Amino acid sequence: MSVFNYKQRNNIILASIIVLGCFLLYALSGLFSSILGAVVLYTIFRPLYVNLAEKRNWPKAAVALIIIFTSLIVIVIPFLTLSIMVVGKISSIDIKSLPIDQWTSKIDAFAAANLNQPHFAEDTLQKLGTFGTSLFPSILSSAASIILTLLVLYFILYFMLTQMREFEAGLLKYAPFREQHALKFAAALRDSTYSNVLGQGIIALTQGILLANGFWIFGIPDPIFWGVIAIFISFLPVVGAPTLCIPASILLFAQGHNWQGVLLLAYGLLFIGNIDNFLRMIINKRIANTHPIISIIGVFIGLPLFGILGLVFGPVLLSYFLLLMEIYETNRMAADRLERIRTVPEN
């Protein structure tokens, strides 16, 4: 006969589950990017899967494979191509063939006379070099890690899609809150994902194209390259693509093209900067209202954890955390109301 009663056995089993769960989470920490990426892609492509697999009765496995190839073509391959392009461009630059010293001396002279910053160009180049090194790691050295992350991501996504109803039923069954709150969380998670991923992606692409066009019009070298850089930097709420127009304008000033410098600066800070606000307002109305503070803090959270993918994953994670906090507060208030109802004495 067991020395434990029914309640004690359940408590021991629950404690064992928690301990083993923590151990498994620690063991799978290296694959967290894959898991989070699968959740994001599942949220984005779920409506397409429902339309094709359930409404039109297409084979589930075929629809899942179509979605996987679509995400590769639309999201993953362009993102990796842009990264390789940027890294290749940086590595191919022949520093000795560029008049870097002349440029920096002209910019420093202009900054010293007008901005009281005699070492502006030197300090800016040093900071940009450090930032670029941390943001764009070597593709070759991390190729195996990228391939492994994508393989695990799509392996998880395939079964999440083909077993969608079982997967969602399991989430509802083991969710630590009521079904109505779970459905509310799912809707809010969908809106938050769309706002942070699709919305910010549209803004970044638009700003990159506008900046490349502006640089081409005003004669800045390599406008396409800087447009690609602007796409990445647009995910940084504090920095943003318009800030690239500041050093470009200073370069024009240093070369004696004052009017071009003024126009480029106005084009970047006023036009490109306000396009960000205009598009964000439309996206927030149609999808969800993501506060800029969430984007700012999320980026600082995501970059150390996921590298350049943290520009997307950081704000998404922070949004998920705030949604859980909101549901917890709703549950606690509901429990308090029930407790008050039970303790009110009957007349």
Side-chain angles (χ1 to χ4, degrees):
M1 183 175 179
S2 176
V3 297
F4 301 106
N5 58 34
Y6 179 78
K7 185 177 181 180
Q8 289 173 336
R9 285 197 296 270
N10 280 344
N11 290 335
I12 292 174
I13 293 173
L14 179 60
S16 301
I17 291 173
I18 293 174
V19 172
L20 288 176
C22 293
F23 175 77
L24 290 175
L25 285 176
Y26 174 77
L28 294 174
S29 59
L31 299 177
F32 188 70
S33 297
S34 300
I35 298 171
L36 183 58
V39 172
V40 170
L41 291 180
Y42 174 83
T43 305
I44 293 174
F45 289 102
R46 183 185 183 277
L48 177 62
Y49 179 84
V50 171
N51 181 48
L52 296 178
E54 297 188 352
K55 294 182 178 180
R56 301 190 181 185
N57 295 320
W58 288 21
K60 294 182 178 180
V63 175
L65 291 175
I66 290 173
I67 289 176
I68 288 174
F69 285 118
T70 301
S71 66
L72 274 172
I73 295 172
V74 175
I75 300 175
V76 177
I77 292 179
F79 193 81
L80 291 179
T81 302
L82 292 177
S83 301
I84 294 172
M85 173 184 171
V86 171
V87 174
K89 183 66 176 179
I90 293 175
S91 61
S92 65
I93 294 176
D94 186 4
I95 301 296
K96 296 181 179 179
S97 64
L98 297 176
I100 299 294
D101 294 336
Q102 298 179 14
W103 292 352
T104 54
S105 61
K106 290 181 179 180
I107 294 174
D108 284 339
F110 176 84
N114 298 275
L115 305 176
N116 197 22
Q117 296 287 335
H119 301 289
F120 177 81
E122 183 180 353
D123 295 340
T124 302
L125 286 176
Q126 184 177 2
K127 292 178 181 179
L128 287 176
T130 304
F131 177 75
T133 303
S134 63
L135 193 59
F136 301 106
S138 174
I139 297 297
L140 294 177
S141 63
S142 59
S145 176
I146 293 173
I147 293 173
L148 177 62
T149 299
L150 291 177
L151 287 176
V152 175
L153 186 155
Y154 284 117
F155 179 80
I156 297 173
L157 179 63
Y158 176 83
F159 288 102
M160 289 174 69
L161 291 172
T162 56
Q163 301 178 8
M164 182 183 69
R165 297 304 174 187
E166 295 85 349
F167 170 70
E168 294 181 353
L171 290 180
L172 288 175
K173 179 180 180 180
Y174 294 103
F177 30 75
R178 296 181 178 179
E179 183 176 349
Q180 59 182 5
H181 293 151
L183 295 175
K184 178 183 177 182
F185 174 73
L189 183 147
R190 177 200 61 206
D191 294 341
S192 176
T193 302
Y194 284 176
S195 178
N196 284 291
V197 179
L198 296 180
Q200 189 58 45
I202 293 171
I203 292 172
L205 183 62
T206 303
Q207 288 190 326
I209 293 174
L210 291 175
L211 185 130
N213 287 332
F215 277 24
W216 175 71
I217 292 172
F218 290 101
I220 302 298
D222 293 327
I224 296 178
F225 169 74
W226 291 112
V228 173
I229 294 292
I231 292 175
F232 286 107
I233 295 181
S234 293
F235 284 94
L236 301 174
V238 178
V239 182
T243 56
L244 288 176
C245 294
I246 298 176
S249 299
I250 294 176
L251 179 61
L252 291 175
F253 287 136
Q255 293 176 346
H257 306 301
N258 295 331
W259 279 110
Q260 291 90 329
V262 171
L263 291 175
L264 179 59
L265 190 63
Y267 174 80
L269 298 182
L270 298 179
F271 182 67
I272 298 179
N274 287 320
I275 283 292
D276 183 331
N277 298 327
F278 175 74
L279 292 176
R280 196 178 300 278
M281 180 179 63
I282 296 176
I283 291 167
N284 289 341
K285 282 185 178 180
R286 293 183 176 271
I287 303 176
N289 186 11
T290 301
H291 198 281
I293 293 179
I294 295 177
S295 300
I296 295 172
I297 299 177
V299 165
F300 286 107
I301 293 173
L303 282 177
L305 293 175
F306 307 108
I308 194 169
L309 294 178
L311 297 174
V312 175
F313 286 165
V316 169
L317 269 182
L318 185 57
S319 298
Y320 292 174
F321 173 77
L322 294 177
L323 289 173
L324 286 174
M325 291 288 291
E326 181 182 348
I327 292 177
Y328 170 77
E329 184 179 2
T330 303
N331 285 343
R332 185 178 58 81
M333 292 173 63
D336 291 341
R337 286 196 298 268
L338 289 175
E339 187 65 25
R340 287 196 297 269
I341 293 173
R342 291 173 181 173
T343 55
V344 170
E346 296 182 0
N347 294 329

